[in-house]
């Protein structure tokens, strides 16, 4: 399905995994939440492979993610987006910001950046070139509190300045840039993702403002934790899902989301389980306190 600028989109959601390993229960739970929210709202849902960081990527992970989602009944009728195809769009956006005086090159090594990764040595005044330097956007800081559909009012820290990297010195686009450009280009209206990304939202909103784009709605759902209370991830020992156990995996994801499906006969395939979950969909409760201000 093509997405032309004349499309009026009421609801378009997305799942945007980085192909750094196979899907595990945590990522399945996020994928399912975004899918159910889109279906419940009679919206569209798309899959975007965030393959912009080759050093972190694992061979075959992208294909395994696509196959795993399909085995679990999570498929889209919109063509899958691969970020590696969008390099030029990211470069053009950087150029646009540089021309408008809204981005500058920075030579500071990491040890010279502050705890938020900002440049504090005035590189914006130095007129540096691209070679071996990071490109930073001068982000506007006006009123970036936002209403999250799960967390309610999220109060973001007041800052005197912010400048985040949008293009890396190793010549790769930064997540901040790619995620915003693609969500804008794909006309994503609703982002449902893990609450480990809650703290990224302020900078993303600032970039929407800089690009004069309307931001989507956000719903950050509590990520699945392991036994030690850490986010389930490859680094914390999460194992890839077994596609032959799709029904059981979905049942566990549904349980994590706290969904009650009512007393009907048990579903015997992923599609019918998902159809029931759509009927009973509601966003989960937040894990952190509502209105809590986010660190970072
Ligand atoms: N690619 C990011 C990840 O796998 C998610 C990006 C997003 O949902 O905004 O953590």
């Amino acid at each position: 399905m093509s997405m032309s600028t004349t499309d009026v989109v009421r609801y378009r959601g997305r799942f945007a995994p980085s192909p750094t390993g196979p899907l595990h229960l945590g990522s399945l739970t996020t994928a399912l939440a975004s899918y159910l929210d889109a279906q419940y709202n009679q919206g569209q849902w798309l899959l975007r492979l965030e393959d912009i960081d080759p050093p972190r990527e694992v061979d075959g992970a992208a294909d395994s993610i696509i196959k795993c989602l399909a085995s679990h009944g999570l498929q889209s009728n919109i063509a899958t987006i691969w970020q590696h195809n969008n390099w030029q769009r990211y470069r053009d956006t950087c150029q646009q910001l540089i021309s408008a005086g809204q981005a500058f090159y920075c030579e500071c090594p990491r040890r010279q950046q502050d705890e938020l990764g900002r440049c504090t040595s005035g590189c914006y005044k130095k007129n540096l070139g691209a070679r071996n330097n990071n490109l930073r956007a001068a982000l506007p800081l006006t009123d970036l509190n936002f209403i999250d559909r799960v967390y309610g009012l999220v109060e973001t820290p007041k800052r005197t300045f912010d400048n985040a990297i949008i293009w890396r010195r190793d010549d790769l686009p930064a997540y901040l840039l790619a995620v915003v450009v693609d969500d804008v280009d794909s006309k994503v209206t609703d982002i449902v993702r893990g609450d480990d990304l809650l703290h990224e939202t302020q900078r993303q909103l600032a970039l929407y403002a800089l690009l004069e784009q309307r931001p989507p709605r956000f719903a950050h759902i509590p990520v699945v934790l392991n036994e030690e209370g850490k986010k389930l991830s490859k680094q914390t020992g999460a194992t890839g899902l077994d596609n032959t156990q799709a029904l059981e995996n979905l049942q566990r994801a549904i349980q994590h989301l706290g969904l009650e499906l009512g007393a009907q006969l048990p579903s015997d395939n992923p599609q019918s389980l998902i159809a029931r979950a759509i009927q009973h969909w509601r966003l989960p409760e937040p894990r952190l306190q509502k209105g809590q201000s986010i660190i970072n």
Side-chain angles (χ1 to χ4, degrees):
M1 193 180 120
S2 75
M3 288 178 276
S4 80
T5 47
T6 52
D7 284 350
V8 176
V9 177
R10 212 180 47 80
Y11 185 115
R12 183 174 286 144
R14 50 69 159 181
F15 176 56
S18 306
T20 52
L23 277 197
H24 49 75
L25 185 64
S27 33
L28 176 70
T29 303
T30 309
L32 181 66
S34 66
Y35 184 86
L36 294 178
D37 198 55
Q39 302 303 327
Y40 181 83
N41 288 292
Q42 288 155 13
Q44 301 164 347
W45 182 80
L46 63 87
L47 173 63
R48 181 173 73 231
L49 270 306
E50 301 214 316
D51 55 345
I52 47 159
D53 196 354
R56 287 184 58 231
E57 282 153 27
V58 169
D59 270 357
D63 288 339
S64 121
I65 289 172
I66 293 172
K67 205 163 156 197
C68 183
L69 289 169
S71 309
H72 288 76
L74 302 177
Q75 268 172 303
S76 173
N77 52 9
I78 300 176
T80 298
I81 293 169
W82 297 77
Q83 286 192 323
H84 74 256
N85 290 330
N86 297 349
W87 233 247
Q88 198 51 46
R89 263 294 285 149
Y90 308 143
R91 283 196 188 279
D92 291 347
T93 305
C94 288
Q95 208 42 60
Q96 174 195 330
L97 294 173
I98 293 171
S99 305
Q102 293 166 324
F104 63 92
Y105 286 102
C106 165
E107 61 185 352
C108 299
R110 197 177 279 270
R111 63 174 188 286
Q112 233 167 285
Q113 303 168 13
D114 72 1
E115 71 289 354
L116 299 178
R118 299 178 299 182
C119 166
T120 55
S121 21
C123 287
Y124 68 94
K125 288 187 282 198
K126 297 182 192 163
N127 233 337
L128 298 165
R131 204 174 145 75
N132 294 331
N133 289 331
N134 289 311
L135 181 68
R136 293 177 178 273
L139 296 172
L141 293 173
T142 43
D143 194 16
L144 294 175
N145 292 346
F146 63 98
I147 307 286
D148 184 86
R149 292 173 57 214
V150 172
Y151 279 91
L153 175 67
V154 179
E155 295 194 44
T156 51
K158 301 276 173 278
R159 295 180 183 165
T160 49
F161 69 96
D162 197 2
N163 53 46
I165 295 173
I166 53 173
W167 196 276
R168 294 162 32 172
R169 64 170 92 243
D170 56 357
D171 204 22
L172 294 171
Y175 158 69
L176 169 66
L177 174 77
V179 75
V180 170
V181 167
D182 284 332
D183 283 331
V184 168
D185 285 357
S186 302
K187 297 188 166 45
V188 166
T189 62
D190 285 82
I191 294 181
V192 178
R193 62 183 179 185
D195 62 0
D196 56 325
L197 292 170
L198 194 54
H199 70 280
E200 300 278 355
T201 310
Q202 181 183 22
R203 278 181 165 162
Q204 291 175 15
L205 289 171
L207 189 53
Y208 278 95
L210 199 59
L211 298 171
E212 296 178 2
Q213 297 291 335
R214 190 192 160 116
R217 288 177 290 255
F218 287 92
H220 287 90
I221 60 159
V223 293
V224 178
L225 304 179
N226 69 8
E227 273 149 28
E228 286 129 45
K230 299 218 173 76
K231 181 197 167 196
L232 203 60
S233 71
K234 209 173 59 168
Q235 291 75 18
T236 61
T239 47
L241 293 169
D242 176 352
N243 292 343
T244 65
Q245 301 291 310
L247 195 59
E248 293 74 10
N249 296 335
L250 284 168
Q251 276 159 346
R252 288 167 68 204
I254 285 170
Q255 208 179 340
H256 273 291
L257 290 167
L259 283 186
E260 306 279 349
L261 300 194
Q264 287 169 14
L265 283 179
S267 306
D268 59 5
N269 64 70
Q271 285 71 20
S272 78
L273 181 57
I274 288 178
R276 280 176 61 201
I278 294 168
Q279 282 172 9
H280 292 87
W281 172 246
R282 52 164 186 70
L283 285 163
E285 289 299 312
R287 179 175 289 122
L288 308 165
Q289 239 185 312
K290 271 200 187 207
Q292 182 174 4
S293 91
I294 52 167
I295 325 291
N296 199 353

